[in-house]
Amino acid sequence: MTAATSDEGAAVPVTIRDVARASGVHISTVSRTFSAPHLVNPETRVRVLACAEDLGYRPNRAARALITGRTHNIGLIIADIANPFFPPLIKAAESQARHRDYHVFVADTNEDPTAEEELVHALAKQVDGVLLCSPRMSNSLIEQLSREVPLVVVNRQVTGLPCVLMDVGQGARAAIEHLVGLGHTRIALLGGPRSSWTNREMRRAAATAARAGGAELTLLGPNAPTETGGSAVAEQVRRSGVSAVLAYNDLMAIGLIEGLDALGVRVPQEVSVVGVDDIALSRLTRPKLTTVATPTAAAGRTAVDMLLQQDTESPRGTRGLGAGTALGVRRTTAQVMLQTDLVIRDSTGPGPQARPARPLAASLGPDPHCPAGPGTATAATGDAVAS
Amino acid sequence: MTAATSDEGAAVPVTIRDVARASGVHISTVSRTFSAPHLVNPETRVRVLACAEDLGYRPNRAARALITGRTHNIGLIIADIANPFFPPLIKAAESQARHRDYHVFVADTNEDPTAEEELVHALAKQVDGVLLCSPRMSNSLIEQLSREVPLVVVNRQVTGLPCVLMDVGQGARAAIEHLVGLGHTRIALLGGPRSSWTNREMRRAAATAARAGGAELTLLGPNAPTETGGSAVAEQVRRSGVSAVLAYNDLMAIGLIEGLDALGVRVPQEVSVVGVDDIALSRLTRPKLTTVATPTAAAGRTAVDMLLQQDTESPRGTRGLGAGTALGVRRTTAQVMLQTDLVIRDSTGPGPQARPARPLAASLGPDPHCPAGPGTATAATGDAVAS
DNA sequence: TACTTCACTGCAAACCTTTGCAGGATCACC
DNA sequence: GGTGATCCTGCAAAGGTTTGCAGTGAAGTA
């Protein structure tokens, strides 16, 4: 209703000055009306607010950020938005941020380390901090970038920086033990991206667990952490003669099952498959996927909390300090490890030892084993465990 | 290597002034070195660049935006990042933007119209324009917001605003004709969100096509456009006695198939199901989903192009003009309609007429029909058709 | 030599907001 | 009536950058 809401197409930018003029006060009073209302007379306040509403005034967040050093934005950099692993993390981060009056900007790097670096630079001055999820760049580069903007790293351990980790080592161990318990003695590990911390952790833990269980572990990879990455190695899996596979993530596991199916190899009758992540999709495929559930939502929430905490500790561009902390004392660098849980569904079954003769196995019926019914194990609780 | 790269934890913000001091020139020369290099002496330029590199200087984009009125950012607001329909669109938009030296910030609204509005405001001064994908708010609110920041709308027709539309009407028609051709005479339409433009278009087109084909169309909905939204209506579908269903999107279709399966109703033997979107997942389910493929990537690209074109037309905050265009002449408001394609896979089969007696149908074997083999029809070309 | 042209650089205003400081008015209290 | 406190508001600097304008010196031209 009125002046500025005329139907001109182009946006006429209305500033604090226009509001000041319209309501007959100084611009500083208008500013305070928005950023410190208790400091201004209630009468004046309503008048200013009315004028602002009338003119369609919105504080310019860029200008505000310039002087306060606070944008109230968080950057969220992820490797691949098409990977269903990330959306729950993103949503949890967003909701947590919203509670604290922050907004989240998501950016996708297409698994490209160069894009990662560039995006951190681009975001640096437009956000108060960046969440780096499953980064593909080097630790040293991450450390270097952390001097430009506060960083919280997810799914990667960087000394000196706050990290949110998921205990995929424990998950891989549980998966291998599950497979060994089913009678599998030759197991393959489908590796993910070479630069992935998760990948290394899984490999280490799986190797230890296999050795302890007396099973032989074959390493296949690195591979693209996608469905096609999984289906591409189906032939290799078949030739390798293993009876069970632990895949880097659910997407690869699903792709592998598809690929094996195309080769006439049946899951879980001939080969058992375990994934990691417990994405929504893993409950929709046939067979339903046995997988290591990772607490993605909890990770998103925790990461935001850590960033905002670190952020409020050093307000206003951190002018003063710096010299005092020269000798590596740095800021708080808590690292949080979240627990994972093995969810047993239908893609794993008895190994060669425990199995009857081959031809029979193929016609066992729709529900070949199911130790405790599909989807019994609960999703990860995501309890935080400081380390 | 040097001064600023000391190992203090806190980021000491280095500005254009520091670089100027270090290289012995005025700040304006430093500025030009970055924003208009051809205006500065090559020797000076290398010196300045060396100093900048040395100090770790990065232009402050917020400050730059404040004065130029250009942020080189694009906002992308979507209803639900967990819906696999969106990632291809996001990725295409990002890649297109990157080519034009823009960055994309994605924000998720959780299908909440209030969050949508709030996000537009929050983004307004931090981006040069916003892509509004499948908005849930009212047309009038969209028009109002478009005065605050340039907008391009995807999957919604708003007069006076640039829009990128997908011809779901044509898609729904093709789907109904396909089903009628298979002998189905009682078909249900699983509706999506009430406020969705796509939903209305589909309903209209499906109704017309059904009437033309002599089939009876039952409307079920509105429903949440998710997998659970689909599985929730399985019982209702069974009771309704229809032999075929066209779902609002693939997620619902897949959920419905799951739900029907749980009730012992087999797809496509007893009920045929068609989805919309052709998300990657639709090729992974059993049965593989017959669906209307929408050109999501092309939509993302096109939307960015339209935004940037509109953007470059009116540089620098559009100070001058405005009065001249008062009478609804506005800026260019091209609307683009992208084509869709029906992809026939395994979730649709012959209707009751064409079928043998009921009891037999249940044991027909794995591949009941397959008119032309799975996945024959090609994905949508996405040719733009101005309208 | 005088004049023009050119390439380069410095100056200062501008963008929009926040905020420390100080001034003015009002009020209570002694 | 004087003192102090309290509440509200204005002033002006600051934040980091861009950019029109003007100035400098050198090279080119007549």
Side-chain angles (χ1 to χ4, degrees):
Chain A
M1 37 163 99
T2 68
T5 6
S6 75
D7 11 28
E8 287 156 26
V12 180
V14 32
T15 78
I16 206 175
R17 221 172 300 275
D18 301 315
V19 180
R21 203 175 311 127
S23 47
V25 298
H26 194 261
I27 57 164
S28 58
T29 301
V30 179
S31 172
R32 275 188 277 258
T33 303
F34 285 93
S35 52
H38 61 280
L39 289 182
V40 27
N41 187 320
E43 281 178 40
T44 320
R45 186 166 46 198
V46 301
R47 187 155 37 96
V48 170
L49 284 175
C51 287
E53 169 80 31
D54 228 37
L55 298 172
Y57 168 75
R58 300 268 163 192
N60 183 327
R61 301 184 61 142
R64 176 180 285 182
L66 185 57
I67 190 164
T68 61
R70 283 275 163 279
T71 64
H72 269 237
N73 292 144
I74 293 179
L76 179 50
I77 297 185
I78 62 180
D80 178 13
I81 215 172
N83 184 338
F85 168 80
F86 288 108
L89 192 154
I90 298 172
K91 280 177 174 288
E94 271 177 345
S95 120
Q96 190 76 354
R98 194 166 312 189
H99 285 149
R100 315 272 221 106
D101 195 26
Y102 273 71
H103 282 284
V104 173
F105 292 154
V106 183
D108 178 283
T109 68
N110 274 314
E111 302 262 356
D112 173 8
T114 319
E116 264 174 9
E117 183 185 355
E118 192 198 335
L119 275 168
V120 173
H121 288 144
L123 283 168
K125 290 297 193 310
Q126 322 194 48
V127 301
D128 296 342
V130 172
L131 264 42
L132 215 49
C133 296
S134 308
R136 301 292 182 236
M137 57 182 153
S138 72
N139 269 17
S140 60
L141 184 51
I142 293 178
E143 284 187 58
Q144 188 184 320
L145 289 174
S146 80
R147 290 201 201 90
E148 195 170 337
V149 57
L151 245 44
V152 170
V153 187
V154 178
N155 273 348
R156 173 85 145 248
Q157 190 159 31
V158 183
T159 54
L161 286 186
C163 300
V164 178
L165 303 166
M166 313 199 190
D167 200 346
V168 285
Q170 171 211 310
R173 202 177 317 125
I176 297 289
E177 284 166 5
H178 165 62
L179 293 172
V180 168
L182 284 169
H184 296 277
T185 54
R186 301 187 60 193
I187 304 175
L189 178 64
L190 274 203
R194 192 192 310 273
S195 52
S196 155
W197 174 85
T198 300
N199 192 43
R200 280 195 300 278
E201 288 301 299
M202 277 183 65
R203 218 160 62 186
R204 187 183 325 174
T208 312
R211 208 175 309 123
E216 178 190 335
L217 190 72
T218 313
L219 260 56
L220 264 39
N223 308 285
T226 60
E227 184 228 333
T228 39
S231 60
V233 290
E235 175 63 34
Q236 207 180 340
V237 165
R238 185 176 66 165
R239 271 206 309 262
S240 72
V242 301
S243 65
V245 180
L246 170 58
Y248 171 75
N249 67 11
D250 285 352
L251 240 34
M252 289 183 62
I254 290 167
L256 173 65
I257 293 177
E258 280 289 307
L260 288 174
D261 187 72
L263 295 175
V265 179
R266 306 185 58 193
V267 175
Q269 289 85 345
E270 296 172 67
V271 172
S272 287
V273 176
V274 181
V276 174
D277 285 349
D278 193 24
I279 59 179
L281 175 51
S282 63
R283 250 157 290 156
L284 294 177
T285 53
R286 307 272 173 79
K288 293 181 173 138
L289 197 62
T290 293
T291 184
V292 176
T294 50
T296 48
R301 274 195 302 272
T302 310
V304 168
D305 280 345
M306 289 173 72
L307 185 63
L308 260 34
Q309 177 198 338
Q310 162 184 350
D311 201 48
T312 46
E313 275 169 9
S314 56
R316 291 221 55 167
T318 60
R319 280 263 169 314
L321 83 172
T325 61
L327 273 178
V329 191
R330 307 209 179 207
R331 37 188 124 102
T332 54
T333 57
Q335 307 208 339
V336 170
M337 178 78 85
L338 303 175
Q339 298 193 322
T340 58
D341 267 316
L342 181 65
V343 179
I344 298 170
R345 297 206 183 91
D346 310 338
S347 65
T348 48
Q353 264 87 334
R355 248 184 239 157
R358 243 216 236 75
L360 269 107
S363 54
L364 260 179
D367 243 305
H369 74 299
C370 233
T376 16
T378 60
T381 57
D383 291 335
V385 178
S387 68
Chain B
M1 39 165 93
T2 66
T5 7
S6 75
D7 9 28
E8 286 157 27
V12 181
V14 31
T15 77
I16 206 176
R17 223 171 298 273
D18 301 316
V19 180
R21 202 175 311 126
S23 47
V25 297
H26 194 261
I27 58 164
S28 57
T29 302
V30 179
S31 171
R32 275 187 278 259
T33 303
F34 286 93
S35 51
H38 61 279
L39 289 182
V40 28
N41 187 321
E43 281 178 41
T44 319
R45 186 165 47 196
V46 302
R47 189 155 37 95
V48 169
L49 284 176
C51 287
E53 170 79 31
D54 227 38
L55 298 171
Y57 168 74
R58 299 267 164 193
N60 183 326
R61 301 184 60 143
R64 177 180 284 183
L66 187 57
I67 189 163
T68 61
R70 282 275 162 280
T71 64
H72 270 237
N73 292 145
I74 293 178
L76 179 49
I77 296 184
I78 62 181
D80 178 13
I81 214 171
N83 184 338
F85 167 80
F86 287 109
L89 190 153
I90 298 172
K91 280 178 175 287
E94 271 177 345
S95 121
Q96 190 76 357
R98 194 166 313 189
H99 285 149
R100 316 271 220 108
D101 194 26
Y102 272 72
H103 283 284
V104 173
F105 292 156
V106 183
D108 178 282
T109 67
N110 274 312
E111 302 261 357
D112 174 8
T114 319
E116 265 174 8
E117 183 184 355
E118 193 197 335
L119 275 169
V120 172
H121 287 144
L123 284 168
K125 290 296 193 311
Q126 321 194 49
V127 301
D128 296 342
V130 171
L131 264 43
L132 215 49
C133 296
S134 308
R136 301 293 181 234
M137 56 182 154
S138 70
N139 269 17
S140 60
L141 184 51
I142 294 178
E143 285 186 59
Q144 188 183 321
L145 290 174
S146 79
R147 291 200 200 94
E148 195 169 337
V149 56
L151 244 45
V152 169
V153 187
V154 178
N155 274 347
R156 173 84 145 249
Q157 190 160 30
V158 183
T159 54
L161 286 185
C163 300
V164 177
L165 304 166
M166 313 200 191
D167 200 346
V168 286
Q170 171 211 310
R173 202 177 318 125
I176 297 289
E177 283 166 5
H178 166 61
L179 292 172
V180 168
L182 284 168
H184 296 276
T185 54
R186 301 187 58 193
I187 305 175
L189 178 65
L190 275 201
R194 193 193 309 273
S195 52
S196 153
W197 174 85
T198 300
N199 193 42
R200 279 195 299 278
E201 289 299 300
M202 277 182 64
R203 217 160 65 187
R204 187 182 324 174
T208 311
R211 207 175 310 124
E216 177 191 337
L217 190 74
T218 313
L219 260 56
L220 265 39
N223 308 285
T226 61
E227 183 227 334
T228 39
S231 60
V233 291
E235 175 62 35
Q236 207 180 340
V237 165
R238 185 177 66 165
R239 271 207 309 263
S240 73
V242 301
S243 65
V245 179
L246 170 59
Y248 171 75
N249 67 10
D250 285 352
L251 240 33
M252 289 182 63
I254 289 166
L256 173 65
I257 293 176
E258 281 289 307
L260 289 175
D261 187 72
L263 296 174
V265 179
R266 308 185 58 193
V267 174
Q269 289 85 345
E270 297 171 66
V271 172
S272 288
V273 175
V274 181
V276 173
D277 285 350
D278 193 24
I279 60 179
L281 176 50
S282 63
R283 251 157 289 157
L284 295 177
T285 54
R286 308 272 174 80
K288 292 180 174 143
L289 196 62
T290 294
T291 185
V292 175
T294 51
T296 48
R301 274 194 302 273
T302 310
V304 168
D305 280 345
M306 289 172 71
L307 186 62
L308 261 35
Q309 177 198 338
Q310 162 183 351
D311 203 46
T312 46
E313 275 170 9
S314 55
R316 289 223 53 171
T318 59
R319 280 263 171 314
L321 83 171
T325 62
L327 274 178
V329 191
R330 308 209 177 207
R331 36 190 127 101
T332 55
T333 57
Q335 308 208 339
V336 170
M337 178 78 84
L338 303 174
Q339 299 192 323
T340 59
D341 266 317
L342 180 66
V343 180
I344 297 169
R345 298 205 183 90
D346 310 339
S347 66
T348 46
Q353 264 87 334
R355 248 184 242 159
R358 241 218 237 78
L360 269 106
S363 54
L364 260 179
D367 242 302
H369 73 300
C370 231
T376 16
T378 60
T381 56
D383 291 334
V385 178
S387 69

